[in-house]
Coordinates of all heavy atoms in Angstrom, one line a residue:
Chain Z
G10 N 6.1 -3.4 -32.9 CA 5.4 -2.2 -32.7 C 5.8 -1.4 -31.5 O 6.6 -1.8 -30.8
I11 N 5.2 -0.2 -31.5 CA 5.7 0.8 -30.5 C 5.4 0.4 -29.1 O 6.2 0.7 -28.1 CB 5.1 2.3 -30.8 CG1 5.9 3.3 -30.1 CG2 3.6 2.3 -30.6 CD1 5.5 4.6 -30.3
S12 N 4.3 -0.3 -28.9 CA 3.9 -0.6 -27.5 C 4.9 -1.6 -27.1 O 5.2 -1.7 -25.9 CB 2.4 -1.0 -27.5 OG 2.2 -2.2 -28.2
E13 N 5.2 -2.6 -28.0 CA 6.2 -3.6 -27.6 C 7.4 -3.0 -27.2 O 8.2 -3.5 -26.3 CB 6.2 -4.6 -28.6 CG 6.8 -6.0 -28.2 CD 6.6 -7.1 -29.3 OE1 5.8 -6.9 -30.2 OE2 7.2 -8.1 -29.1
V14 N 7.8 -2.0 -28.0 CA 9.2 -1.3 -27.7 C 9.1 -0.6 -26.3 O 10.1 -0.7 -25.6 CB 9.5 -0.3 -28.8 CG1 10.7 0.5 -28.4 CG2 9.6 -1.0 -30.2
E15 N 7.9 -0.1 -26.1 CA 7.7 0.5 -24.7 C 8.0 -0.5 -23.6 O 8.7 -0.3 -22.6 CB 6.3 1.1 -24.6 CG 6.0 1.5 -23.2 CD 4.6 2.3 -23.0 OE1 4.2 2.7 -24.0 OE2 4.2 2.3 -21.9
R16 N 7.3 -1.7 -23.8 CA 7.6 -2.7 -22.8 C 9.0 -3.2 -22.7 O 9.5 -3.5 -21.7 CB 6.6 -3.9 -23.0 CG 5.2 -3.5 -22.6 CD 4.3 -4.8 -22.6 NE 4.2 -5.4 -23.9 CZ 3.4 -5.2 -25.0 NH1 2.6 -4.2 -24.7 NH2 3.4 -5.8 -26.0
E17 N 9.6 -3.4 -23.9 CA 11.0 -4.0 -23.9 C 12.0 -3.0 -23.5 O 13.0 -3.5 -22.9 CB 11.3 -4.4 -25.3 CG 10.4 -5.5 -25.9 CD 11.1 -6.9 -25.8 OE1 12.3 -6.9 -25.9 OE2 10.3 -7.8 -25.7
T18 N 11.8 -1.7 -23.6 CA 12.8 -0.8 -23.3 C 12.5 0.1 -22.1 O 13.5 0.6 -21.4 CB 13.1 0.2 -24.4 OG1 11.9 1.1 -24.6 CG2 13.4 -0.4 -25.7
G19 N 11.2 0.2 -21.7 CA 10.9 1.1 -20.6 C 10.7 2.6 -21.0 O 10.5 3.4 -20.1
L20 N 10.8 2.9 -22.3 CA 10.6 4.2 -22.8 C 9.3 4.4 -23.2 O 8.7 3.5 -24.1 CB 11.6 4.5 -23.9 CG 13.1 4.4 -23.5 CD1 13.9 4.4 -24.8 CD2 13.5 5.6 -22.8
S21 N 8.5 5.4 -22.7 CA 7.1 5.5 -23.0 C 6.9 5.9 -24.5 O 7.8 6.4 -25.2 CB 6.4 6.6 -22.1 OG 6.7 8.0 -22.7
M22 N 5.7 5.5 -24.9 CA 5.4 5.8 -26.4 C 5.5 7.2 -26.8 O 6.0 7.6 -27.8 CB 4.0 5.4 -26.8 CG 3.7 3.9 -26.5 SD 2.3 3.2 -27.2 CE 1.1 4.5 -26.7
D23 N 5.0 8.1 -25.8 CA 5.3 9.6 -26.0 C 6.7 10.0 -26.3 O 7.0 10.7 -27.1 CB 4.7 10.3 -24.8 CG 3.2 10.7 -25.0 OD1 2.8 10.6 -26.1 OD2 2.6 11.0 -24.0
V24 N 7.5 9.4 -25.4 CA 8.9 9.8 -25.4 C 9.5 9.2 -26.8 O 10.3 9.9 -27.5 CB 9.6 9.2 -24.3 CG1 11.2 9.2 -24.6 CG2 9.4 10.0 -23.1
L25 N 9.2 8.0 -27.2 CA 9.6 7.4 -28.4 C 9.3 8.3 -29.7 O 10.1 8.5 -30.5 CB 9.1 6.1 -28.6 CG 9.7 4.9 -27.7 CD1 8.9 3.6 -27.8 CD2 11.2 4.7 -27.9
R26 N 8.0 8.8 -29.7 CA 7.7 9.6 -30.8 C 8.3 11.0 -30.7 O 8.7 11.4 -31.7 CB 6.1 9.8 -30.7 CG 5.3 8.5 -31.1 CD 3.9 8.8 -31.4 NE 3.1 8.7 -30.2 CZ 2.2 7.7 -29.8 NH1 2.1 6.8 -30.7 NH2 1.6 7.7 -28.8
K27 N 8.5 11.5 -29.5 CA 9.2 12.8 -29.4 C 10.5 12.7 -29.9 O 11.0 13.6 -30.7 CB 9.1 13.3 -28.0 CG 7.8 14.0 -27.7 CD 7.7 15.5 -28.3 CE 6.5 16.2 -28.0 NZ 5.7 16.5 -29.1
W28 N 11.2 11.8 -29.5 CA 12.6 11.6 -29.9 C 12.7 11.5 -31.4 O 13.6 12.1 -32.0 CB 13.2 10.4 -29.2 CG 13.6 10.5 -27.8 CD1 13.3 11.6 -27.0 CD2 14.3 9.5 -27.0 NE1 13.8 11.4 -25.8 CE2 14.3 10.1 -25.6 CE3 14.7 8.4 -27.1 CZ2 14.8 9.5 -24.6 CZ3 15.3 7.6 -26.1 CH2 15.4 8.1 -24.8
E29 N 11.8 10.7 -32.0 CA 11.8 10.6 -33.4 C 11.8 12.0 -34.1 O 12.6 12.2 -35.1 CB 10.6 9.8 -33.8 CG 10.6 9.4 -35.2 CD 9.5 8.4 -35.5 OE1 8.9 7.7 -34.6 OE2 8.9 8.5 -36.6
G30 N 11.0 12.9 -33.6 CA 10.8 14.2 -34.2 C 12.1 15.0 -33.8 O 12.6 15.8 -34.7
R31 N 12.6 15.0 -32.6 CA 13.6 15.8 -32.2 C 14.9 15.5 -32.5 O 15.9 16.3 -32.9 CB 13.6 15.9 -30.6 CG 12.4 16.9 -30.1 CD 12.3 16.8 -28.5 NE 11.1 17.6 -28.2 CZ 10.6 17.6 -27.0 NH1 11.0 16.7 -26.2 NH2 9.5 18.3 -26.7
Y32 N 15.4 14.2 -32.5 CA 16.6 13.8 -32.7 C 16.8 12.9 -34.0 O 17.9 12.6 -34.3 CB 17.2 12.9 -31.5 CG 17.0 13.6 -30.2 CD1 16.1 13.2 -29.4 CD2 17.6 14.8 -29.9 CE1 15.8 13.7 -28.1 CE2 17.4 15.4 -28.6 CZ 16.4 14.9 -27.8 OH 16.3 15.5 -26.6
G33 N 15.7 12.6 -34.6 CA 15.8 11.8 -35.8 C 16.1 10.3 -35.5 O 16.3 9.5 -36.4
F34 N 16.0 10.0 -34.2 CA 16.1 8.6 -33.8 C 15.2 8.3 -32.6 O 15.1 9.2 -31.7 CB 17.6 8.3 -33.4 CG 17.7 6.8 -33.0 CD1 18.0 5.9 -34.1 CD2 17.6 6.3 -31.7 CE1 18.2 4.5 -33.7 CE2 17.9 5.0 -31.4 CZ 18.0 4.1 -32.4
P35 N 14.6 7.2 -32.6 CA 14.7 6.0 -33.6 C 13.9 6.5 -34.8 O 13.2 7.5 -35.0 CB 13.8 5.0 -32.9 CG 12.9 5.7 -31.9 CD 13.7 6.9 -31.5
A36 N 14.2 5.8 -35.9 CA 13.6 6.0 -37.2 C 12.9 4.8 -37.7 O 13.3 3.9 -38.6 CB 14.6 6.4 -38.1
P37 N 11.7 4.4 -37.0 CA 11.0 3.2 -37.4 C 10.5 3.1 -38.9 O 10.3 4.2 -39.5 CB 9.9 3.2 -36.4 CG 9.7 4.6 -36.1 CD 10.9 5.2 -36.1
L38 N 10.3 2.0 -39.3 CA 9.6 1.8 -40.6 C 8.2 1.9 -40.4 O 7.7 2.0 -39.2 CB 10.0 0.4 -41.2 CG 11.4 0.1 -41.2 CD1 11.6 -1.4 -41.7 CD2 12.2 1.0 -42.2
R39 N 7.4 2.0 -41.5 CA 6.0 2.1 -41.3 C 5.4 0.9 -42.0 O 5.8 0.5 -43.2 CB 5.4 3.4 -41.9 CG 5.9 4.7 -41.3 CD 5.7 4.7 -39.9 NE 6.2 6.0 -39.2 CZ 5.4 6.9 -38.7 NH1 4.1 6.8 -38.6 NH2 6.1 8.1 -38.2
D40 N 4.3 0.3 -41.5 CA 3.7 -0.8 -42.3 C 2.5 -0.2 -43.1 O 2.4 1.0 -43.1 CB 3.2 -1.9 -41.2 CG 2.0 -1.3 -40.4 OD1 1.6 -0.2 -40.5 OD2 1.3 -2.1 -39.7
G41 N 1.7 -1.1 -43.6 CA 0.6 -0.7 -44.5 C -0.2 0.5 -44.1 O -0.3 1.5 -44.8
R42 N -0.6 0.5 -42.8 CA -1.1 1.8 -42.2 C 0.1 2.6 -41.9 O 1.2 2.2 -42.2 CB -2.0 1.4 -41.0 CG -3.1 0.5 -41.3 CD -4.0 0.3 -40.2 NE -3.4 -0.5 -39.0 CZ -3.0 -1.7 -39.1 NH1 -3.1 -2.3 -40.3 NH2 -2.4 -2.3 -38.1
R43 N -0.1 3.5 -41.0 CA 1.0 4.4 -40.7 C 1.9 4.0 -39.5 O 2.6 4.7 -38.9 CB 0.5 5.9 -40.6 CG 0.1 6.5 -41.9 CD -0.4 7.9 -41.6 NE -1.8 7.9 -41.2 CZ -2.5 9.0 -41.0 NH1 -1.9 10.2 -41.1 NH2 -3.7 8.9 -40.6
T44 N 1.4 2.8 -39.0 CA 2.0 2.5 -37.7 C 3.5 2.2 -37.7 O 4.0 1.6 -38.7 CB 1.3 1.3 -37.1 OG1 1.5 0.1 -37.9 CG2 -0.2 1.5 -37.0
R45 N 4.2 2.5 -36.7 CA 5.6 2.5 -36.6 C 6.1 0.9 -36.4 O 5.4 0.3 -35.6 CB 6.2 3.3 -35.4 CG 6.0 4.7 -35.8 CD 6.3 5.5 -34.5 NE 6.4 6.9 -34.6 CZ 5.4 7.7 -34.7 NH1 4.1 7.2 -34.6 NH2 5.5 9.0 -34.9
R46 N 7.0 0.5 -37.1 CA 7.7 -0.9 -36.9 C 9.1 -0.7 -36.6 O 9.9 -0.2 -37.5 CB 7.5 -1.7 -38.1 CG 6.0 -1.9 -38.4 CD 5.4 -3.2 -38.2 NE 4.7 -3.3 -37.0 CZ 4.6 -4.4 -36.1 NH1 5.2 -5.5 -36.5 NH2 3.8 -4.4 -35.1
Y47 N 9.6 -1.0 -35.4 CA 11.0 -0.9 -35.1 C 11.8 -2.1 -35.4 O 11.6 -3.1 -34.9 CB 11.0 -0.5 -33.7 CG 10.4 0.8 -33.2 CD1 9.0 0.9 -33.1 CD2 11.1 1.8 -33.1 CE1 8.3 2.1 -32.7 CE2 10.5 3.2 -32.7 CZ 9.2 3.2 -32.5 OH 8.6 4.4 -32.3
P48 N 12.8 -1.9 -36.1 CA 13.8 -3.0 -36.3 C 14.6 -3.3 -35.1 O 14.8 -2.4 -34.3 CB 14.8 -2.4 -37.4 CG 14.2 -1.2 -38.0 CD 13.2 -0.7 -36.9
P49 N 14.9 -4.6 -35.0 CA 15.6 -5.1 -33.7 C 16.9 -4.3 -33.3 O 17.0 -4.0 -32.2 CB 15.9 -6.5 -34.0 CG 15.0 -7.0 -35.0 CD 14.7 -5.7 -35.8
Q50 N 17.5 -3.9 -34.3 CA 18.7 -3.2 -34.1 C 18.5 -1.8 -33.5 O 19.2 -1.4 -32.5 CB 19.5 -2.9 -35.4 CG 20.9 -2.6 -35.4 CD 21.5 -1.9 -36.7 OE1 20.8 -2.0 -37.6 NE2 22.7 -1.4 -36.6
Q51 N 17.4 -1.1 -33.8 CA 17.1 0.2 -33.2 C 16.6 -0.1 -31.7 O 16.9 0.7 -30.9 CB 16.0 0.9 -34.1 CG 16.6 1.4 -35.3 CD 15.5 2.3 -36.1 OE1 14.8 2.9 -35.3 NE2 15.6 2.4 -37.3
V52 N 15.9 -1.1 -31.6 CA 15.4 -1.5 -30.3 C 16.6 -1.6 -29.3 O 16.7 -1.2 -28.2 CB 14.5 -2.7 -30.2 CG1 14.0 -3.1 -28.9 CG2 13.2 -2.5 -31.1
E53 N 17.6 -2.4 -29.8 CA 18.9 -2.6 -29.1 C 19.5 -1.4 -28.7 O 19.9 -1.2 -27.4 CB 19.9 -3.5 -29.9 CG 20.9 -4.1 -29.1 CD 20.4 -4.9 -27.9 OE1 19.4 -5.6 -28.0 OE2 20.9 -4.5 -26.8
R54 N 19.6 -0.5 -29.6 CA 20.2 0.8 -29.4 C 19.4 1.6 -28.3 O 20.0 2.3 -27.4 CB 20.4 1.6 -30.6 CG 21.2 2.9 -30.6 CD 21.9 3.1 -32.0 NE 21.6 4.5 -32.4 CZ 21.8 4.9 -33.7 NH1 22.1 4.0 -34.6 NH2 21.7 6.1 -33.9
L55 N 18.1 1.6 -28.4 CA 17.2 2.2 -27.5 C 17.5 1.7 -26.0 O 17.6 2.4 -25.1 CB 15.8 2.0 -27.7 CG 15.3 2.9 -29.0 CD1 14.0 2.5 -29.5 CD2 15.3 4.4 -28.5
R56 N 17.6 0.3 -26.0 CA 17.8 -0.3 -24.7 C 19.2 0.2 -24.1 O 19.3 0.6 -22.9 CB 18.1 -1.9 -24.9 CG 16.9 -2.6 -24.4 CD 17.2 -4.1 -24.3 NE 17.1 -4.8 -25.6 CZ 16.1 -5.5 -26.0 NH1 15.1 -5.6 -25.2 NH2 16.1 -6.0 -27.3
L57 N 20.2 0.4 -25.0 CA 21.5 0.9 -24.5 C 21.3 2.4 -24.0 O 21.8 2.7 -22.9 CB 22.5 0.9 -25.7 CG 23.9 1.5 -25.4 CD1 24.5 0.9 -24.2 CD2 24.7 1.3 -26.7
I58 N 20.6 3.1 -24.7 CA 20.3 4.5 -24.4 C 19.7 4.5 -23.0 O 20.0 5.3 -22.2 CB 19.5 5.3 -25.4 CG1 20.4 5.4 -26.7 CG2 19.0 6.6 -24.9 CD1 19.6 5.9 -27.9
K59 N 18.7 3.7 -22.9 CA 18.0 3.7 -21.5 C 18.9 3.3 -20.4 O 18.8 3.9 -19.4 CB 16.8 2.7 -21.6 CG 16.1 2.5 -20.3 CD 15.4 3.9 -19.9 CE 14.3 3.7 -18.9 NZ 14.4 2.8 -17.9
R60 N 19.7 2.4 -20.6 CA 20.7 1.9 -19.6 C 21.5 3.1 -19.2 O 21.8 3.4 -18.0 CB 21.6 0.8 -20.2 CG 20.9 -0.5 -20.3 CD 22.0 -1.6 -19.9 NE 23.2 -1.5 -20.8 CZ 23.3 -2.1 -22.0 NH1 22.3 -2.8 -22.5 NH2 24.5 -1.9 -22.6

Side-chain angles (χ1 to χ4, degrees):
Chain Z
I11 191 171
S12 62
E13 202 169 344
V14 175
E15 168 172 343
R16 284 193 300 275
E17 296 259 331
T18 65
L20 299 163
S21 80
M22 299 193 316
D23 268 344
V24 165
L25 289 170
R26 286 194 277 250
K27 274 284 176 241
W28 283 5
E29 192 178 325
R31 282 176 182 160
Y32 312 107
F34 184 87
L38 311 174
R39 303 298 180 118
D40 71 354
R42 303 184 290 295
R43 290 179 278 181
T44 66
R45 295 167 170 82
R46 307 247 95 208
Y47 295 78
Q50 200 198 348
Q51 294 193 23
V52 178
E53 193 49 49
R54 194 150 128 198
L55 286 168
R56 254 193 279 262
L57 173 55
I58 290 172
K59 178 60 162 40
R60 284 210 311 265

